[in-house]
Amino acid sequence: MSDLRSLPSVDKLLRTPSAEKLVAKFGRPLTLEAVRHILDLVRESFHTERVFPDDETLMQKTAHLLVSWTEATLYPLINASGVILHTNLGRAPLSRAAIEAIQSIAQGYSNLEYDVQKGLRGSRYVHAEELLTRLTGAEAALVVNNNAAAVTLILAALARRRRVLIARTQLVEIGGGFRVPEVMKQSGAILAEVGTTNRVHLSDYEQAISEQPIALVLHAHRSNFQIIGFTSEPSLSELVTLAHQAGLPLADDLGSGALLDTSRFGLGHEPMVQESIQAGADLVCFSGDKLLGGPQAGIILGHSSLVARLKSHPFARAIRPDKLCLAALSATLLHYLKDEAEKEIPIWKMIAKPPERLQEQAQRWASKLGMGEIVKGESTVGGGSLPGETLPTSLLALDVNHPDRFLSRLRQVQPPIIARLADDRVLLDPRTVLDEQEEALIAGLQRTLTGYR
């Protein structure tokens, strides 16, 4: 057709069998909008192309447009990179019990803020609190939506328009441009730096406390980088003693928040939540979706009087967790309480996976694909945890032409496969591939390899 007057009307297209199927699947309003959009595009292109598609082609274009408008932008994929807590890939996968807890709470009503025994309004803050205090020995606990929010709440509630002491060695930036100094500024607290970028002494803190009024001492764990060489800084227990002698509270931002001793798995020792509580920190905060292995959350532990002040602060409502987070977090904490974290929490299963099993998996993949070499390599914890620490693993190495293009092809299969590249070889690490995803991994690799040049 070469005359715009011959272009079918919207009503005519909507009466076609193809349109009826689209209306049934996507609804009439959205289908109508898509048809109009396609016709507008055809009119715009007519001035240069002088032709336009027939009715069936127009409806095919409409169908493709509707799919692009409605397909999910968040979807599962296979992590074969060997980075356990991959921030870009959603950090910690949840345990089966945590997923079941989410499903149970999501499909109906719950006692989120209702005291069933009293028949009165309750508080969402009671959920998970007893589990946290029992596990760590803290007096009280509060859950918010992430650790950045936890730090901000502590500073806003305890040090607004007042000075907070922090070492220059701890002025960290984590993923997404989250910087401790900027968070302190947004909270209304005033930054009071002590020491230098590589060395800070207890006397630096003593001098700062003697020279100006201080509201809080903040200790921030460097969870995503290391300072090596000519370095020094006081221990947490030394800072706690000094702060308490001066009548000041001390907050310890642990970042990752391990409840298990990472040195048991051949890794460096990550400061544990229990250790901070035992050292006397008045408040301790950490993430729920890093080394805890649960949902995204910020967890605050500490003295009941201070936690009560945080709970009553207006900002607490803006950063409170939802029912799904609390359900998943409670289920995750139960794994620790029942001493089954290594068996049930995915990230700890990955960290504890025996070398022989990793080698068996990689060899099985090579056998099914009929190609590939098994090479020794290293997995990393990631997620801003244990910087520089690695775990030995066995990798499936694929020699393919144009490996960058092959990696791109892997990202296009369903579900997408995320691998890594080293020495012009595509490497896949079995440590981070979930057991239930192995079949899909092999299928995706086979589809990508078929006809690849």
Side-chain angles (χ1 to χ4, degrees), residues 162-163 208-209 211-215:
R162 302 168 68 190
R163 290 181 175 84
I209 290 173
E211 292 178 348
Q212 53 192 330
I214 302 297

Side-chain angles (χ1 to χ4, degrees), residues 83-146:
V83 181
I84 297 172
L85 289 171
H86 201 308
T87 299
N88 303 130
L89 306 186
R91 289 187 181 164
L94 297 179
S95 71
R96 188 175 302 276
I99 295 170
E100 292 174 352
I102 289 176
Q103 183 177 13
S104 174
I105 294 301
Q107 63 189 4
Y109 297 102
S110 67
N111 65 327
L112 177 64
E113 291 187 348
Y114 185 76
D115 189 321
V116 175
Q117 292 184 342
K118 296 180 180 179
L120 300 172
R121 181 186 179 93
S123 170
R124 74 178 60 207
Y125 295 134
V126 303
H127 306 296
E129 183 170 21
E130 184 175 346
L131 292 172
L132 285 164
T133 56
R134 186 179 296 276
L135 278 168
T136 64
E139 291 180 5
L142 171 63
V143 179
V144 295
N145 60 9
N146 63 32

